[in-house]
């Protein structure tokens, strides 16, 4: 990176184009007070590194910062540690990791890089993609060193030609538990209900540097002095305004994920002049039960479940891809997922909890979803015919497994926003960058869902957690270095 | 204790008016502070008792119809509230379910001040994570204790100890389950939880038969259905369902039925859950109730309707009377009076429980202390209605019955803390079947009064009962003698004080004005006494006079200090002074001893006066002696002197040339004569009322009370203001005139104060025979000490008297 620290503000100042205000060049979030806070005269408390966000990226950054000798404060706006990672199923996408080596799977960094670029039609940031490919194996080893256990399974998930998806035992919540206790052992102070609101900056040696952050801790404004700040605050899926602006196609979909993901990091860095990429990308999956907001894996659709609308008609190839199915679902008034128990092991659990409802025959089902019985019967019959013949049906569906036979189970579903994929532009050293790829503030790093660039088209299972681990570690390491300077 | 029962009363208007002249400006100094803001938030009280809502909550937090919760435990709550009842479980902060389960504030917060922080670690000290997970495993939708965040979340995310708990999950989900359900009991042994101090629910369920926890209500619906197969009478079915206990299962109270078949064969013994299991507050009261203590009765003896009792039923006074008279004689207790009124539908009238209480009917023994307690407690009941002006007007009753009683000797003595010695309401009116005095059957009918009085008094004439136990001084029609006595006394007070206070103020002004005018003026021949005259002493008072005065001072102060606490029985200082005097009994004794001393002095003075008028039984020339210069009787010169003084006050002439006794000194002397006539005689009557009934009718006791009281005020305040002015505060006397104690003063003083006497002595050539040595140091010291002490004490008493007269 540009060590001279040509910041955007310095650049603008040099040009003397006063008309280019901060808000004009940035994300255009419409912030009136687009100015970082100048450093205060006194701090309420002082640490070396502040990490905002306790998801996987934040936890990795905090552990690495503490390992680098920095006094580290890890904050989370929510009451519970773990962010979206705690809710995840714990899949990591890696090549040549100890697990793959153990299973005898041959793979290479170059192949991983090549496949990644290919699946996204070369839209991924090549530098970030290269770093992740190079460090994925090392990252898994590192996680194992911290005490995270992985199942001895590797799957070629979603368009990946090699089995690169490996799963942590106990899902994401176990990963979070393990890493936060490691962090605590290493001296990381973890505070929940502590929302980082803005950054403090100061001119040092001709460059702007982050010198701390202001946090709302349990309702009290606290000024924290720090040599480095890592923004790992997650996406903005729960910020309706930002979703409406950047993801209007999904503004009618449901949202799951930690409620604290309201784009705090994005906004505070934007104020400083940070650039952002891919804000219009999101990971949306089709089948969230609308009332209890419980997500049924898309595996049920692969197993033979169908989606019908309020008229009892199918309207799409349920397996054509999350985005496309979800877009079509939003065209319908209501969408029901109809299944039999055998389509996926999870269904049993949903039956027990009463999340999916039972209908003993097609008439009862039609009555319960308010559709015309004849139409619904026709829909089911034609789907069963296709299943039997294993031929491509009129919607282009080619994968079939279970036939739909009574008793039926059903639930009303809506597409759900799982992740926002775009975010702050960062370099391979995890620095937050401006539009000219210069560091926005010295000492300001970012990692995780709040950043963009790595994932574009072609989301593969495990992409997100791997990205969080690799870049989180880099951010933490570099943040610790800042304190030594 | 007593003075709380009585309303604060003032004196008749006249006395107040006099005091008002003194300190009216003080009123402007008083103002009331703003009312304290009413806080809606509960204040957390460290040792709050379980179920005692009011210890923390200022406002009503549970419905007023809800049974008393004090001392309840959670099991009892849940015997009515179903486990999933959102009213109890959803809005119930965790601290409440802990308190009700025997875990005190200190059980979680520790004993330290400020209280220790309570985190999830504290919760896990008693609750095991696995048990919590297991307890909610069947919760619909999701197990909140084993969610996608795992089993070890911060408890406080959902369960708040000091505010309504919340469903944390519902930030994202829409789950229907209720948070928290306070029925999960800690699985591990309770490590820290100390029992609630002196009010652990189990402990409050009192004594042997009640210390068993009530049975779990279980599943009421099923149990009830089983029982009703046989017990199908309406009182166990539809009537029971509508009753206040309708929420309970049969087996809530009837325990021990494990097996229905055995029960039907009567092989098992059924037991009853003590009522105290739920009604613990009442049962605690009932422990001291006469029915429980003496008659060993149980709840069911009166409450025969537990299966059909409707909410609000039995709450009327008539219902109580009917219940009580199933055992107690109707004729004896409820034939007339209060109870009859109640039964005729007047809810204003008193039913049994209004005076006796319901579950806390006290046991009184035949001791003096208990009699006094009984008298006081029943009087409080009488007063609570008969002093309620709205109520008595509504019922056409006397409006001043309480006030007038309190003005009598009975009322005042009772008030000051002597309830064992005087008559209270029921002593004359009887406790039951109370009738108006006009009714021949009434205990206070004139024909029956002798019996009432005889209960305490003996050896009186029949006219003794003419005493008015509720005398009203302001009622000129019913009590003309009383009214006019009171009016006369007040008129006397007003006149005397008006004259002498004006006289004193004018004197003061004149004297200081003169002093002020003469300041710095060259001494003239007139105002410089001969040096010799300032060191030459002559006798003014003999030993006899001086001793008499000291005895007078002592007895007078004692009388004031022992009498006024009775007069102002309601005042703040009355009880203090009584205790200072050695208690009510000693106070009475001192008052009477002092009265005897004063009487002796008075009679001796009378004897001396006779001796003065008729020396050696010589009658001739007594008028000359009576009006002569040595006499204390008023004569023509006094009238001239009085006029002369007023001329002097207004700078219209010189100060009169006084003789041996000035007119105000003569007034002092005669005031005692008048005073002894009024106060001494009335005092004797009050002391020996029965004896006087052979001479005077009973209502003269009322007259004596008024006279004694008002004259006491006159005497005390006159001495403490006017007499003190003349001898202590007057400019030429300040700080005190000591010759009443030393017996002698200088010739210069004699010449200045009593020039005519001086001239007369010179003329009669007696001055030399009266010459004395200067008073010794001890005698001067004694004079100063006694004098100053008396003045200070007198002024203090004046303040106390005015304080009481104006503010009580």
């Amino acid at each position: 990176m540009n060590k001279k620290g040509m910041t955007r503000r310095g650049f603008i100042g040099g040009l003397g184009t006063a008309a280019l205000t901060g808000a004009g060049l940035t994300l255009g979030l419409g912030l009136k007070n687009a100015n970082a806070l100048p450093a205060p005269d006194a701090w309420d408390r002082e640490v070396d590194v502040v990490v905002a966000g306790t998801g996987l990226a934040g936890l990795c950054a905090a552990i690495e910062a503490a390992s680098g000798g920095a006094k580290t404060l890890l904050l989370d706006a929510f009451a519970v540690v773990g962010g979206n990672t705690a809710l995840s199923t714990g899949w990591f996408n890696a090549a040549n990791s100890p697990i793959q080596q153990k299973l005898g799977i041959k793979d290479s960094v170059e192949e991983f890089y090549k496949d990644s670029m290919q699946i996204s039609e070369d839209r991924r940031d090549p530098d970030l993609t290269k770093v992740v490919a190079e460090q994925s194996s090392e990252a898994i080893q590192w996680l194992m060193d911290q005490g995270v256990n992985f199942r001895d399974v590797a799957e070629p998930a979603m368009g990946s030609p090699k089995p690169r998806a490996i799963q942590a035992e106990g899902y994401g919540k176990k990963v979070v538990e393990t890493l936060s206790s490691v962090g605590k052992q290493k001296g990381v102070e973890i505070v929940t209900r502590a929302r980082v609101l803005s950054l403090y900056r100061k001119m040092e040696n001709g460059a702007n540097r982050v010198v701390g952050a202001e946090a709302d801790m349990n309702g009290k404004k606290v000024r924290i002095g720090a040599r480095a700040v890592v923004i790992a605050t997650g996406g903005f899926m729960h910020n309706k305004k930002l979703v409406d602006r950047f993801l209007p196609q999904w503004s009618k979909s449901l949202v799951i994920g930690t409620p604290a993901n309201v784009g705090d990091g994005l906004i505070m860095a934007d104020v400083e002049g940070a650039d952002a990429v891919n804000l219009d990308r999101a990971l949306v999956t089709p089948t969230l039960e609308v009332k209890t907001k419980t997500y049924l894996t898309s595996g049920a659709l692969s197993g033979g479940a169908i989606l019908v609308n309020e008229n009892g008609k199918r309207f799409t190839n349920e397996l054509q891809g999350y985005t496309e199915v979800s877009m079509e679902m939003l065209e319908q008034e209501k969408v029901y997922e109809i299944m039999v128990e055998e389509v996926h092991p999870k269904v049993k659990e949903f039956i027990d909890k009463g999340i999916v409802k039972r209908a003993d025959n097609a008439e009862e089902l039609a009555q319960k979803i308010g559709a015309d019985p004849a139409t619904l019967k026709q829909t089911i019959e034609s789907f069963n015919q296709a299943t039997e013949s294993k031929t491509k049906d009129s919607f282009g569906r080619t994968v079939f497994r279970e036939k739909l036979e009574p008793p039926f189970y059903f639930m009303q579903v809506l597409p759900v926003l799982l992740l926002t994929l775009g975010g702050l532009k960062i370099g391979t050293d995890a620095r937050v960058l401006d539009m000219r790829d210069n560091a926005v503030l010295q000492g300001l790093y970012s990692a995780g869902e709040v950043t963009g660039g790595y994932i574009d088209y072609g989301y593969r299972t495990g992409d997100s957690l791997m990205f969080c681990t690799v870049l989180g570690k880099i951010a933490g390491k570099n943040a610790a270095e800042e304190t030594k300077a | 204790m007593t003075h709380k029962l009585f309303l604060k009363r003032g004196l008749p208007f006249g006395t107040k008016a006099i005091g008002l002249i003194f300190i009216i400006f003080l009123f402007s100094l008083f103002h009331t502070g703003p009312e304290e803001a009413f806080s809606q938030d509960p204040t957390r009280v460290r040792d709050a008792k379980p179920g005692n809502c009011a210890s923390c909550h200022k406002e009503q937090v549970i419905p007023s119809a809800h049974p008393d919760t004090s001392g309840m435990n959670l099991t009892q709550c849940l015997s009515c509230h179903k486990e999933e009842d959102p009213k109890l479980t959803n809005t119930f902060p965790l601290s409440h379910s802990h308190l009700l389960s025997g875990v005190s504030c200190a059980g979680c917060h520790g004993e330290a001040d400020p209280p220790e922080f309570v985190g999830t670690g504290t919760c896990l000290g008693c609750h095991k994570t696995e048990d919590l997970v297991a307890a909610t495993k069947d919760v619909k939708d999701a197990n909140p204790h084993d969610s996608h965040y795992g089993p070890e979340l911060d408890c406080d995310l959902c369960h708040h100890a000091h505010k309504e708990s919340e469903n944390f999950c519902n930030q994202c989900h829409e789950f229907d389950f209720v948070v928290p359900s306070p029925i999960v009991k800690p699985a591990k042994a309770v490590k820290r939880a100390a029992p609630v101090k002196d009010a652990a629910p189990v402990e409050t369920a009192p004594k042997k038969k009640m210390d068993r926890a009530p049975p779990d209500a279980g599943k009421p619906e099923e149990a009830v259905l089983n029982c009703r197969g046989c017990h199908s009478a309406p009182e166990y079915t539809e009537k029971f369902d509508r009753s206040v206990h309708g929420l309970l299962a049969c087996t809530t109270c009837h325990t021990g039925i494990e097996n229905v078949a055995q029960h039907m064969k009567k092989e098992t013994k059924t037991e009853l859950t003590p009522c105290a299991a739920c009604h613990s507050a009442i049962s605690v009261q009932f422990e001291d109730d006469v029915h429980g203590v003496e008659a060993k009765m149980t709840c069911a003896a009166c409450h025969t309707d537990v299966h059909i009792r409707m909410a609000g039923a039995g709450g009327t006074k008539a219902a109580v009377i009917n219940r009580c008279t199933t055992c107690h004689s109707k004729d004896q207790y409820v034939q007339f009076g209060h109870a009859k009124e109640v039964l005729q539908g007047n809810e204003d009238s008193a039913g049994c429980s209004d005076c006796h209480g319901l579950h806390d009917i006290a046991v009184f023994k035949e001791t003096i202390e208990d009699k006094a307690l009984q008298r006081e407690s029943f009087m409080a009941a009488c007063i609570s209605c008969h002093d309620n002006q709205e109520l008595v007007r509504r019922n056409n009753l006397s409006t001043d019955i309480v006030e007038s009683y309190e003005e009598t000797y009975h009322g005042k003595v009772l008030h000051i803390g002597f309830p064992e010695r005087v008559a209270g309401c029921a002593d004359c009116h009887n406790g039951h079947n109370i009738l108006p005095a006009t009714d021949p059957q009434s205990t206070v009918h004139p024909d029956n009064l002798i019996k009432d009085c005889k209960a305490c008094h003996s050896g009186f004439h029949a006219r003794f009962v003419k005493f008015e136990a509720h005398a009203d001084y302001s009622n000129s029609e019913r009590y003309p003698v009383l009214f006019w006595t009171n009016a006369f006394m007040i008129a006397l007070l007003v006149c005397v004080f008006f004259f002498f206070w004006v006289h004193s103020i004018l004197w003061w002004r004149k004297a200081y004005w003169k002093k002020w005018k003469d300041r710095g003026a060259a001494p003239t021949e007139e105002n410089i006494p001969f040096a010799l005259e300032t060191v030459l002493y002559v006798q003014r008072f003999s030993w006899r006079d001086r001793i008499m005065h000291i005895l007078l001072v002592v007895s007078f102060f004692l009388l004031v200090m022992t009498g006024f606490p009775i007069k102002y029985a309601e005042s703040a200082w009355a009880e203090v002074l009584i205790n200072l005097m050695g208690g009510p009994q000693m106070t009475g004794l001192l008052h009477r001893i002092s009265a005897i001393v004063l009487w002796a002095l008075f009679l001796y003075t009378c004897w001396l006066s006779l001796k003065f008028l008729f020396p050696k039984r010589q009658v001739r020339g007594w008028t000359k002696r009576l009006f002569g210069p040595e006499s204390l009787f008023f004569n023509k010169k006094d009238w001239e002197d009085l006029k002369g003084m007023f001329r002097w006050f207004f700078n219209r002439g010189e100060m009169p040339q006084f003789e041996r006794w000035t007119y105000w000194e003569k007034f002092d002397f005669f005031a005692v004569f008048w005073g002894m006539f009024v106060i001494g005689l009335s005092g004797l009557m009050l002391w020996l009322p029965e004896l006087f009934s052979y001479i005077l009718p009973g209502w003269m006791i009322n007259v004596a009370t008024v006279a004694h009281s008002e004259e006491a005020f006159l005497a005390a305040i006159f001495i403490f203001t006017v007499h003190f002015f003349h001898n202590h505060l007057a400019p030429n006397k300040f700080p005190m005139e000591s010759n009443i104690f030393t017996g002698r003063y200088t010739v210069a003083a004699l010449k200045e104060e009593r020039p005519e006497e001086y001239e007369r002595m010179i003329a009669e050539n007696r001055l030399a025979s009266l010459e004395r040595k200067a008073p010794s140091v001890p005698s001067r010291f004694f004079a100063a000490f006694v004098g100053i002490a008396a003045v200070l004490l007198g002024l203090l008493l004046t303040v106390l008297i005015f304080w009481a007269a104006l503010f009580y």
Side-chain angles (χ1 to χ4, degrees), chain B residues 200-216:
Chain B
V202 181
E203 284 171 319
T204 36
K207 295 285 151 62
K208 256 188 179 173
K209 59 174 184 176
M210 299 179 181
D211 63 5
R212 195 183 47 179
D216 212 324

Side-chain angles (χ1 to χ4, degrees), chain A residues 50-62 73-78 81-83 190-191 194 196 230-234 261 447:
Chain A
V50 170
V51 180
T54 61
L56 185 57
L59 283 166
C60 291
L73 182 61
L74 177 57
L75 307 176
D76 201 298
F78 197 46
V81 172
I190 304 178
V191 184
V196 179
V230 179
I231 298 174
T233 54
N261 278 8

Side-chain angles (χ1 to χ4, degrees), chain A residues 419-433:
Chain A
L419 292 173
T420 51
L421 297 177
L424 298 174
K425 186 160 81 176
I426 54 168
T428 51
D429 55 358
R431 276 177 201 272
V432 180
L433 303 179

Side-chain angles (χ1 to χ4, degrees), chain B residues 277-564:
Chain B
C278 296
H279 304 279
S280 58
I282 289 176
S283 80
V284 171
Q285 284 184 347
F286 194 69
E287 274 184 27
D288 298 324
D289 188 284
V290 69
H291 292 108
V293 174
E294 307 263 302
K296 312 279 180 225
M297 284 160 70
T298 60
C299 307
C302 299
H303 298 279
T304 51
D305 56 349
V306 287
H307 290 110
I308 54 170
R309 187 183 175 88
M310 305 284 282
T316 63
K317 295 178 176 189
V320 175
I321 292 173
N322 288 333
R323 178 68 66 201
C324 297
T325 51
T326 53
C327 298
H328 297 280
S329 150
K330 266 191 181 150
D331 290 350
Q332 199 178 341
Y333 295 110
V334 300
Q335 197 181 358
F336 312 114
H338 287 117
K340 189 180 169 196
E341 280 282 313
V342 169
L343 293 174
Q344 284 175 351
N346 184 354
E347 280 285 307
D348 274 348
S349 186
C352 308
S353 62
D354 289 313
C355 304
H356 293 280
L358 209 52
H359 299 109
D360 54 351
I361 303 173
V363 183
F364 293 113
K365 299 198 181 68
E366 285 293 312
T367 61
I368 293 181
E369 292 79 30
D370 269 26
K371 282 239 162 217
L373 258 180
Q374 186 177 17
R375 183 174 284 132
E376 273 191 300
S377 77
F378 283 123
M379 280 186 75
C382 303
I383 288 169
S384 70
C385 292
H386 285 275
D387 208 25
N388 179 338
Q389 292 300 316
E390 222 172 279
L391 187 143
V392 292
R393 286 213 177 86
R394 193 160 63 221
N395 290 280
N396 211 12
L397 297 167
S398 173
T399 55
D400 60 350
I401 207 79
V402 177
E403 189 179 353
S404 54
Y405 168 79
E406 286 175 9
E407 289 292 334
T408 65
Y409 183 78
H410 289 142
K412 285 177 185 287
V413 172
L414 188 130
H415 201 149
I416 204 65
F418 239 162
E420 62 270 42
R421 292 292 293 270
V422 289
C425 310
D427 288 291
C428 303
H429 294 280
N430 203 355
H432 303 96
N433 289 339
I434 300 173
L435 289 166
T438 46
D439 191 309
Q441 290 199 62
S442 169
T443 53
V444 290
H445 186 268
D447 293 347
N448 304 328
L449 269 176
I450 290 183
K451 214 173 86 193
D452 294 328
C453 299
K454 265 198 174 148
C456 304
H457 299 272
S458 60
F460 53 81
H461 187 270
R463 63 169 78 90
F464 181 70
V465 303
K466 298 268 181 195
F467 170 73
E468 289 293 344
H470 295 275
D472 180 2
Y473 310 128
S474 58
N475 192 333
S476 59
E477 281 174 31
R478 269 185 72 188
Y479 310 106
V481 180
L482 259 188
F483 176 83
W484 287 112
T485 308
N486 194 39
F488 170 76
M489 289 309 299
I490 284 170
L492 183 70
L493 254 76
V494 172
C495 293
V496 169
F497 286 125
F498 178 76
F499 177 79
F500 276 102
W501 285 351
V502 169
H503 184 265
S504 300
I505 288 163
L506 291 173
W507 187 344
W508 205 0
R509 185 213 70 85
K510 169 68 185 176
Y512 278 101
W513 174 78
K514 190 168 183 292
K515 215 172 166 180
W516 173 256
K517 220 178 92 181
D518 293 350
R519 78 195 188 284
T524 63
E525 212 173 304
E526 276 173 44
N527 58 25
I528 297 186
F530 291 116
L532 193 60
E533 288 176 350
T534 61
V535 293
L536 263 183
Y537 282 80
V538 289
Q539 173 169 310
R540 174 155 168 80
F541 295 111
S542 66
W543 269 106
R544 185 199 63 203
D545 300 338
R546 286 146 64 190
I547 288 169
M548 281 175 75
H549 185 258
I550 288 167
L551 282 174
L552 183 72
V553 169
V554 172
S555 62
F556 185 79
F557 271 115
L558 277 174
L559 282 165
V560 170
M561 287 163 73
T562 51
F564 274 82

